[in-house]
Amino acid sequence: MAQEDKKRAAAEAALAYVEPGSIVGVGSGSTVNCFIDALAGIKHKIEGAVAGSNASAERLKAHGIAVLDLNNAGDLPVCIDGADEATSNKHLIKGGGAALTREKIIAAASRKFVCIVDDSKIVNTLGKFPLPVEVIPMARSYVARKLTALGGNPAWRQGVITDNGNVILDVHNLKIVDAAALETEINQIVGVVTNGLFARRPADVVLIASDQGVKSLP
Ligand code: 5RP
């Protein structure tokens, strides 16, 4: 099965987690785009969505799905999002699309976080995918030095400004032994908005699409 078909299969499986009459948290990325397209088929059954990026908001609106402000939505029953890497204990790296901060806020405000991936995203240990860190622009060099002191090799993602007006450092070669501890440590660096480790609030469900179909991590 082509990767595009796997993304679509995982996205369609996630529809089963959408609660009728609810507001759905929606992340960002190509797999989430498949989910938004699938959600359009049941849009009459939901109140609307909170979007993890401006791009997702535009796609939701193009389908006629109401996009709501999280400040008016309260806690969400469920959010659906993709990932760049996922482990068997449902820890993730996210932020390949630079939307990590809004995605992390939505995950924090959701009672259930359903992550949708194709099988290429499953890893034993996080960190082959460079860890995205969203940084306030004036702190870029300072934060880069601190990330280097942690053993990583940060690279400024050229030409990218996040939806929040910040920059992204992609940190290569990090040894991620304790993902939750590293998530906290990086977030303590002044000037960091957040980093792409989702371990303190991992996914609750990971739906993995492969040639054998879609299965949920135990
Ligand atoms: C965006 C993300 C995405 O969920 C992640 O990059 C996966 O994207 P895709 O589904 O396109 O592979 O974290 O910030």
Side-chain angles (χ1 to χ4, degrees), residues 14-154:
L15 287 179
Y17 292 85
V18 173
E19 296 186 11
S22 73
I23 300 169
V24 186
V26 174
S28 194
S30 57
T31 315
V32 164
N33 282 346
C34 295
F35 175 71
I36 293 171
D37 296 347
L39 190 64
I42 59 161
K43 66 181 177 185
H44 54 283
K45 293 190 182 161
I46 59 167
E47 189 178 334
V50 172
S53 67
N54 292 342
S56 289
E58 290 313 313
R59 197 175 186 99
L60 286 158
K61 284 185 213 160
H63 278 302
I65 298 171
V67 176
L68 306 165
D69 183 339
L70 182 63
N71 290 306
N72 302 324
D75 279 350
L76 307 174
V78 68
C79 70
I80 315 289
D81 203 352
D84 299 299
E85 285 184 346
T87 63
S88 58
N89 54 2
K90 305 184 183 77
H91 291 174
L92 315 172
I93 283 183
K94 291 183 45 53
L100 61 161
T101 299
R102 294 189 188 189
E103 292 170 336
K104 197 176 270 197
I105 293 167
I106 289 175
S110 296
R111 288 193 285 280
K112 185 173 278 185
F113 174 9
V114 178
C115 182
I116 48 176
V117 291
D118 63 79
D119 52 358
S120 70
K121 307 288 185 65
I122 303 302
V123 296
N124 290 324
T125 310
L126 296 173
K128 190 159 179 229
F129 191 92
L131 178 67
V133 181
E134 180 164 354
V135 178
I136 302 286
M138 75 170 285
R140 190 192 75 242
S141 294
Y142 168 76
V143 171
R145 291 194 293 278
K146 292 290 181 189
L147 292 168
T148 302
L150 287 178
N153 301 116

Side-chain angles (χ1 to χ4, degrees), residues 110-215:
S110 296
R111 288 193 285 280
K112 185 173 278 185
F113 174 9
V114 178
C115 182
I116 48 176
V117 291
D118 63 79
D119 52 358
S120 70
K121 307 288 185 65
I122 303 302
V123 296
N124 290 324
T125 310
L126 296 173
K128 190 159 179 229
F129 191 92
L131 178 67
V133 181
E134 180 164 354
V135 178
I136 302 286
M138 75 170 285
R140 190 192 75 242
S141 294
Y142 168 76
V143 171
R145 291 194 293 278
K146 292 290 181 189
L147 292 168
T148 302
L150 287 178
N153 301 116
W156 180 12
R157 200 182 295 180
Q158 294 294 313
V160 171
I161 300 291
T162 70
D163 288 349
N164 311 307
N166 299 313
V167 296
I168 298 285
L169 294 174
D170 291 307
V171 192
H172 298 252
N173 304 321
L174 276 173
K175 294 263 171 300
I176 304 179
V177 180
D178 183 339
L182 185 64
E183 180 179 357
T184 300
E185 191 170 10
I186 293 175
N187 282 345
Q188 291 303 316
I189 301 171
V190 175
V192 167
V193 179
T194 199
N195 69 81
L197 283 168
F198 283 56
R200 298 190 59 81
R201 198 284 179 249
D204 299 302
V205 176
V206 179
L207 297 175
I208 308 164
S210 71
D211 285 334
Q212 283 69 48
V214 180
K215 66 168 192 195

